[in-house]
């Protein structure tokens, strides 16, 4: 009996010459992982990663890094975020949003605008925040949402973290709906803000809707839907010139400029580049001396800055971070990438 040889599957070709960040406008009810998978297929690249999960019910800006740009995913994640969210007062849920098991507090007195404004005062600046039980925060390598779905309990006070709310603005208040725009540091849960605000007002609260309007300079206005990308980029052949993709990549120079900068002398530049200066207070003191508020905010919140040689010979990207695997304790400075004059990020 003759053996039948199955035809080989066609070899999948991936582009290794395309590197950049695509600002995707995520649709509702789509996971961040599904967005990454779609971008990978559309651009025909093998190495892809996003820069901060958006809940499926949320929409808006989701930066996706391709090839060499994936190395800078943590830098983009460090940028501040701007969200527009609608909080529903008078109700609560186990997920802190409308997708969970909702309990409506019938007959509760809803606050007036003055009471709302007074309560929001405690949600500006640095605050301690407890993440939702249904979140991607990991405990012993397992996401909390998996533990919650399995019926496990966990002392959430162990996961309290410091975040910074730079700006909290009321767009409108038509009880029970409170429409807010919030600019905040990385790691901030808007669902927790909805829950905590509701508790503070004595009404309960949950997040009814959420749009991420910006990640640093990557805004909704400069983002693309997956349907747009699929229609315009998808048909391009793997042999197409890289320059044909430029309109869909966020300019690397603009990304670099969005990272707070501090000028240092040559000696300090070399020590920072080699990782010999690790204490954030050294740069915080210098930034305060130079009245560089954004650099101070970023260092205190635990983000990325660029220290540039005052002689113009280069710049070093530095991450101010906690020790590996920790979210509390003493932050330290760690050089991420040294760029000579005129060198591009990717």
């Amino acid at each position: 009996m003759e053996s039948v040889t199955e035809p080989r599957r066609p070899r999948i070709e991936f582009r290794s010459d395309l590197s950049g960040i695509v600002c995707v406008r995520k649709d509702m009810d789509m996971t961040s992982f599904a967005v990454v998978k779609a971008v990978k297929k559309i651009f025909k690249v093998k190495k892809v990663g996003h820069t901060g999960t958006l809940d499926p019910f949320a929409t808006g800006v989701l930066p996706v890094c391709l090839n060499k740009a994936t190395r800078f995913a943590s830098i983009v994640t460090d940028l501040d975020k701007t969200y527009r969210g609608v909080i529903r007062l008078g109700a609560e849920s186990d997920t802190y949003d409308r997708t969970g098991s909702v309990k409506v507090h019938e007959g509760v007195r809803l606050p007036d605008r003055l009471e709302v404004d007074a309560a929001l005062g405690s949600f500006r600046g640095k605050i301690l925040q407890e993440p939702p039980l249904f979140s991607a925060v990991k405990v012993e390598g397992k996401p909390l949402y998996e533990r919650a779905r399995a019926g496990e309990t966990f002392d959430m006070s162990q996961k309290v973290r410091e975040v910074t709310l730079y700006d909290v603005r009321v767009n409108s208040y038509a009880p029970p709906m409170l429409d807010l725009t919030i600019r905040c540091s990385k790691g901030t849960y808007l669902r927790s803000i909805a829950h905590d605000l509701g508790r503070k007002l004595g009404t309960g609260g949950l997040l009814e809707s959420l749009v991420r309007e910006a990640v640093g300079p990557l805004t909704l206005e400069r983002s693309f839907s997956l349907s747009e990308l699929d229609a315009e980029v998808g048909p391009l052949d793997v042999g197409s010139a890289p320059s044909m993709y430029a309109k869909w990549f966020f300019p690397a120079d603009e990304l670099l400029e969005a990272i707070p900068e501090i000028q240092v002398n040559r000696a300090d530049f070399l020590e920072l580049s080699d990782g010999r200066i690790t204490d954030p207070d050294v740069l915080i003191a210098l930034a305060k001396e130079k009245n560089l508020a954004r650099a101070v905010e970023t260092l205190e919140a635990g983000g990325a800055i660029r220290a540039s040689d005052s002689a113009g010979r280069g710049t070093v990207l530095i991450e101010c971070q906690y020790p590996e695997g920790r979210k509390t304790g003493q932050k330290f400075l760690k050089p991420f990438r040294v760029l000579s004059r005129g060198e591009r990020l990717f």
Side-chain angles (χ1 to χ4, degrees):
M1 183 175 180
E2 292 185 17
S3 61
V4 178
T5 303
E6 293 185 5
R8 288 186 178 181
R9 292 181 180 179
R11 183 172 178 270
I12 300 175
E13 290 188 78
F14 293 105
R15 298 201 63 145
S16 59
D17 58 344
L18 290 181
S19 294
I21 297 174
V22 182
C23 193
V24 177
R25 188 165 62 252
K26 191 184 89 65
D27 292 330
M28 190 177 294
D29 298 327
M30 190 172 198
T31 66
S32 299
F33 176 77
V35 172
V36 168
K37 187 176 180 181
V39 170
K40 180 178 181 178
K41 180 180 179 182
I42 291 169
F43 282 86
K44 304 174 181 67
V45 293
K46 193 170 186 178
K47 199 171 183 181
V48 187
H50 67 73
T51 61
T53 304
L54 265 180
D55 291 330
F57 92 105
T59 64
V61 176
L62 183 66
V64 179
C65 302
L66 280 60
N67 287 330
K68 293 179 181 179
T70 56
R71 289 190 57 221
F72 297 88
S74 63
I75 298 293
V76 180
T77 302
D78 283 342
L79 297 171
D80 57 1
K81 316 292 191 300
T82 300
Y83 294 95
R84 184 163 185 173
V86 174
I87 295 173
R88 178 184 174 189
L89 300 176
E92 294 182 289
S93 80
D94 52 355
T95 60
Y96 297 178
D97 63 35
R98 63 172 172 77
T99 68
S101 178
V102 177
K103 180 182 179 180
V104 178
H105 301 307
E106 301 287 355
V108 68
R109 187 188 76 84
L110 295 174
D112 59 29
R113 174 61 187 270
L114 289 177
E115 291 172 307
V116 169
D117 287 341
L120 285 173
S122 61
F123 290 86
R124 291 183 172 91
K126 291 183 177 65
I127 65 170
L128 294 177
Q129 185 180 78
E130 184 180 290
L133 179 58
F134 285 85
S135 65
V137 174
K138 291 186 177 181
V139 176
E140 298 176 356
K142 187 177 180 180
L144 279 172
Y145 66 81
E146 289 186 8
R147 293 180 179 275
R149 289 170 182 167
E152 297 180 36
T153 58
F154 184 78
D155 181 7
M156 294 302 296
S157 65
Q158 298 180 38
K159 288 297 178 180
V160 170
R161 62 180 70 181
E162 184 181 82
V163 296
T164 305
L165 275 61
Y166 304 111
D167 185 40
V168 180
R169 186 173 70 252
V170 177
N171 299 312
S172 65
Y173 178 46
M177 300 301 185
L178 174 62
D179 187 332
L180 298 175
T181 294
I182 296 176
R183 185 171 70 86
C184 55
S185 64
K186 66 175 181 179
T188 303
Y189 279 93
L190 272 290
R191 287 185 285 142
S192 289
I193 292 174
H195 176 79
D196 295 344
L197 178 63
R199 287 292 174 92
K200 189 172 186 66
L201 289 168
T203 63
L206 59 81
L207 194 61
E208 186 71 22
S209 65
L210 182 66
V211 180
R212 186 193 276 164
E213 296 188 327
V215 176
L218 294 95
T219 62
L220 271 177
E221 293 74 22
R222 304 180 72 175
S223 63
F224 305 93
S225 69
L226 285 177
S227 58
E228 289 175 310
L229 293 172
D230 189 42
E232 297 187 46
V233 181
L236 294 178
D237 186 82
V238 290
S240 302
S243 59
M244 295 182 66
Y245 298 80
K247 66 174 286 188
W248 295 292
F249 290 153
F250 190 83
D253 291 344
E254 285 190 43
L255 177 61
L256 184 63
E257 289 172 5
I259 300 169
E261 180 185 31
I262 183 169
Q263 295 277 338
V264 298
N265 61 42
R266 182 64 175 173
D268 286 345
F269 173 77
L270 293 175
E271 292 204 346
L272 287 165
S273 299
D274 291 339
R276 294 198 295 272
I277 296 177
T278 60
D279 186 357
D281 288 341
V282 174
L283 284 185
I284 290 173
L286 182 58
K288 287 181 177 178
E289 181 184 318
K290 295 175 177 284
N291 294 316
L292 301 173
R294 283 191 63 231
V296 173
E297 286 179 353
T298 301
L299 287 164
E300 290 181 341
I305 68 160
R306 52 190 171 117
S308 298
D309 180 356
S310 55
R313 286 179 280 186
T315 189
V316 55
L317 290 179
I318 300 171
E319 289 185 298
C320 182
Q321 59 186 21
Y322 291 112
E324 187 69 29
R326 295 176 59 186
K327 297 295 181 182
T328 59
Q330 181 63 45
K331 301 185 187 76
F332 68 99
L333 301 176
K334 181 180 179 181
F336 180 81
R337 170 81 180 275
V338 180
L339 299 169
S340 59
R341 182 167 55 191
E343 185 178 358
R344 296 176 63 85
L345 278 176
F346 41 79

